[in-house]
């Protein structure tokens, strides 16, 4: 396939497949998404291999939440973004591009071209409050579900749990 050409899978997919803005390493932030009006994801602990943090930033208000996979609050998120949220923003910019992240979160950066630092600085300047971490369980569950797909053998046949997707190019 040439540059910009779509694979058969991408052409037949009902969901638009977008390549990452830039490749990223998954060790520090294995899961990041723009969903449910938030930037949210899972960030690995720097000190304990068995611990991860579920972090999120709400669009427009920039209310933030960060807690461990055991629902314990992050010690660094006291009135400002902790290092987990900063890492999440950085990886989201790599995954989706700075303009898309800024647009989704409704962040206006002072100077033209946004980057991870300017997006984080603009949100911090708005003095966001600590938000509710109730969505952490859903985010962590989606992360675990994504990990389960990595354990499956590579096949071209449909997955039974994905059968609820409508077939393409058929008339009802």
């Amino acid at each position: 396939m040439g540059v910009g050409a779509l694979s058969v899978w991408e052409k037949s997919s009902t969901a638009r497949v977008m390549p990452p803005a830039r490749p990223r390493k998954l060790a520090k932030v294995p899961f990041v998404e723009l969903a449910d009006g938030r930037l949210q994801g899972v960030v690995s602990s720097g000190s304990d291999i068995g611990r991860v943090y579920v972090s999120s930033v709400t669009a427009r208000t920039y209310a933030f939440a960060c807690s461990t996979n055991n629902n314990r609050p992050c010690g660094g998120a006291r009135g400002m973004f902790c290092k987990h949220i900063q890492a999440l923003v950085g990886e989201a910019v790599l995954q989706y591009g700075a303009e898309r992240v800024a647009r989704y979160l409704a962040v206006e950066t002072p100077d033209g071209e946004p980057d991870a630092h300017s997006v984080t600085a603009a949100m911090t300047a708005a003095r966001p409050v600590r938000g509710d971490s109730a969505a952490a369980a859903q985010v962590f569950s989606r992360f675990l579900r994504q990990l389960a797909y990595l354990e499956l053998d590579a096949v071209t046949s449909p997955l039974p749990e994905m059968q609820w997707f409508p077939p393409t190019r058929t008339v009802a």
Side-chain angles (χ1 to χ4, degrees):
M1 283 192 288
V3 175
L6 296 176
S7 68
V8 174
W9 177 81
E10 290 172 319
K11 288 179 186 175
S12 63
S13 176
T14 57
R16 190 170 154 203
V17 178
M18 295 184 66
R22 288 186 301 203
R24 63 185 194 91
K25 296 179 182 175
L26 301 177
K28 184 65 179 165
V29 183
F31 182 70
V32 62
E33 65 180 354
L34 297 170
D36 304 327
R38 291 184 298 274
L39 164 62
Q40 54 195 17
V42 174
V43 181
S44 300
S45 170
S47 59
D48 184 357
I49 196 160
R51 183 183 305 144
V52 294
Y53 290 85
V54 181
S55 305
S56 66
V57 178
T58 305
R60 290 177 183 68
T61 65
Y62 317 129
F64 60 94
C66 188
S67 60
T68 67
N69 50 324
N70 297 329
N71 288 332
R72 294 203 168 105
C74 172
R78 293 187 181 124
M80 58 185 211
F81 291 166
C82 62
K83 63 181 180 179
H84 308 112
I85 293 175
Q86 293 171 1
L88 182 69
V89 172
E91 291 299 314
V93 166
L94 288 177
Q95 179 71 31
Y96 299 108
E99 290 178 6
R100 184 172 177 196
V101 172
R103 186 173 56 247
Y104 187 83
L105 294 174
V107 175
E108 292 188 25
T109 56
D111 48 344
E113 189 72 25
D115 60 5
H117 178 70
S118 64
V119 169
T120 305
M123 289 189 297
T124 303
R127 299 186 154 276
V129 297
R130 191 168 190 153
D132 185 19
S133 62
Q138 294 171 341
V139 175
F140 192 65
S141 176
R142 282 200 292 268
F143 166 65
L144 292 177
R145 187 68 177 155
Q146 183 186 37
L147 287 179
Y149 286 117
L150 295 176
E151 296 175 358
L152 297 176
D153 294 330
V155 295
T156 57
S157 59
L159 295 172
E161 63 266 20
M162 302 293 267
Q163 290 299 310
W164 59 270
F165 283 114
T168 58
R169 297 186 199 96
T170 61
V171 178

